[in-house]
Amino acid sequence: MKSLTSKLMNTMTYVVSAILILVFLAIDISIDNWVDVEFDNALTDKSNYLKTLVKVTPEGTEFDFAGEFMPEFGTSTKASFFQLWQGDAVFERSESLNHFPRVDLLKKDIPLNSAIFADVDLPDGRSGRAMVAYFEPQVPKSLGDAAINVEPMWLTVAITTEDLTQILVIIDSSLAIGLLLVIVLIRWAVVKVIYRGLAPLNELNDALKHADVTQKYIPLSAGAERYLEIEPIRDELNKFVKISKQYLQAEKRITADIAHELKTPISELISLSEVYIRYPDDQRIATTYKQDVLNISLRMKTIVSNLLLLQQASSEHIHLNRQQLDISTLLEHIIETLAFKYHDINKRLLIDNQLMDKHIFADEFSLDLILTNLFDNALYYSPEQSEIKLSLFAEDNGVTIYVENTLLKSLNSHDLEHLTQPLFQAEQSRTNTDRHGLGLAIVENIAKANGFTFSFGLISEDKIRFSLHITKPALP
């Protein structure tokens, strides 16, 4: 399993390390370049100083060099070297070259009054760097035009670079060690910062471990600080706990209601059977016993069938066969089905069909079930001989169906809020054993499964309207 903490630590370490490496690399390159430039400047200074020692006299060109002032060109083991040429002839050599009589320093043809640098091997085998200059000796003004034809000279100065290399190695090593130490310190700081920064998440996790879903909010310590990033998570968890609590309470209520609905017919069966067993010869009991048992069993079957239908309606795997339906034919079939319960249904049901097209694209079973339950509910819970209004309207994005009926007793806000909950019944209907509070719950779940919009509300104190909107299918 991946760790968010480890990922954050590694990512931050890699990013910071990459930045530090680039910075240290830039510093190292800058220092190396600066040292090289300073070394070349020092070499240039020595070359220019030696050039000033070349003097032009009436007798010719002289080189006034004093070894005691520049001992590095002597015979020491770390000696530097220089060599002067005038024309093709060697004009002067440093004392350090006396040990190498057959060795000449680097000499190149370059433009007059110019100089070049080159990495070379010194006569004694050490690594070094040489500067080759081609120049005209300076003619004193006192000589006038007497020395106009002084031949240009070459001067090569060679110095060992071993000390420079050691300095650069020390600098590079110091930077590398410093970089390593900085990365280690950064890693340590990142670990501390991330663990401290994730502490609120750990507190929230601990709170979740001890959370009680019966409480309204997840318990956090009183002194816990509020964080902008943590609060949305905490709020969503609180919502989840609240919803879970509501579902838990709903499941408990449904379980209790199912037990209550089934307990009544079971108790009736038991009581009826006990009476018949006790008085087997009583013709009054024997005559109606079989029919009573059948009626009670059919009531139980209706309850179980409706519960199974409710479960099927809320299932994600419900099968829907959408097709073009003739709404007039469907309404006639529903009215005919309910006619045995409500003989005056044709008089009470007023249909206002304003649809230009008589066809609706929907699943026949679902739409039949929804409208049957809505008609049955409206006819049953309205005063006798009161009118039930059915309206059908065409809209840009589909069809809307309204079912309006007058109420026997006005519903309060609590009843309206729980009207579609399974097995919920308003108090006035509790005493009726034929009503189980499943019809509107089935309607709501079937509507959701089909993508219909189902809603309801009071349009006056004693009148309620149910609305079903069927969205027009999208064009392919």
Side-chain angles (χ1 to χ4, degrees), residues 364-380:
E364 183 175 5
F365 172 78
S366 300
L367 190 57
D368 183 287
L369 184 63
I370 290 173
L371 294 179
T372 300
N373 276 280
L374 290 179
F375 292 173
D376 185 26
N377 183 79
L379 290 164
Y380 185 85

Side-chain angles (χ1 to χ4, degrees), residues 4 196-208 227 229-230 233:
L4 183 60
R196 186 171 297 177
L198 293 178
L201 282 178
N202 295 328
E203 293 177 4
L204 182 62
N205 185 48
D206 292 336
L208 288 173
Y227 293 91
E229 295 80 9
I230 302 298
I233 300 176

Side-chain angles (χ1 to χ4, degrees), residues 334-350 371-390 403-408 435 464 466:
I334 295 173
I335 293 171
E336 183 181 348
T337 303
L338 293 175
F340 80 97
K341 294 176 64 176
Y342 310 100
H343 62 278
D344 58 347
I345 184 173
N346 288 297
K347 296 180 180 179
R348 297 180 61 187
L349 189 61
L350 302 179
L371 294 179
T372 300
N373 276 280
L374 290 179
F375 292 173
D376 185 26
N377 183 79
L379 290 164
Y380 185 85
Y381 290 109
S382 59
E384 293 184 5
Q385 300 181 354
S386 62
E387 294 180 348
I388 309 299
K389 186 176 181 180
L390 171 65
V403 179
E404 299 177 13
N405 67 277
T406 305
L407 296 170
L408 289 169
R435 315 299 295 186
I464 190 170
F466 295 89

Side-chain angles (χ1 to χ4, degrees), residues 213-262:
V213 294
T214 61
Q215 295 184 4
K216 187 175 182 181
Y217 296 104
I218 298 175
L220 293 176
S221 60
E225 296 184 28
R226 303 292 182 176
Y227 293 91
L228 185 62
E229 295 80 9
I230 302 298
E231 281 307 295
I233 300 176
R234 181 177 176 273
D235 292 340
E236 292 301 321
L237 287 173
N238 284 332
K239 291 180 183 178
F240 175 75
V241 170
K242 184 179 180 181
I243 294 173
S244 299
K245 181 181 177 181
Q246 292 174 350
Y247 277 121
L248 181 61
Q249 291 175 342
E251 290 296 328
K252 289 181 179 179
R253 185 191 63 79
I254 292 174
T255 302
D257 287 345
I258 291 174
H260 177 270
E261 292 293 335
L262 293 177

Side-chain angles (χ1 to χ4, degrees), residues 413-428:
S413 58
H414 177 270
D415 291 337
L416 285 174
E417 184 179 352
H418 297 85
L419 206 57
T420 57
Q421 288 187 356
L423 299 172
F424 175 82
Q425 300 179 57
E427 291 300 324
Q428 62 266 28

Side-chain angles (χ1 to χ4, degrees), residues 13-32:
T13 302
Y14 296 152
V15 171
V16 174
S17 298
I19 294 174
L20 288 175
I21 290 173
L22 292 176
V23 171
F24 274 71
L25 184 62
I27 293 174
D28 181 61
I29 294 174
S30 298
I31 292 176
D32 289 349

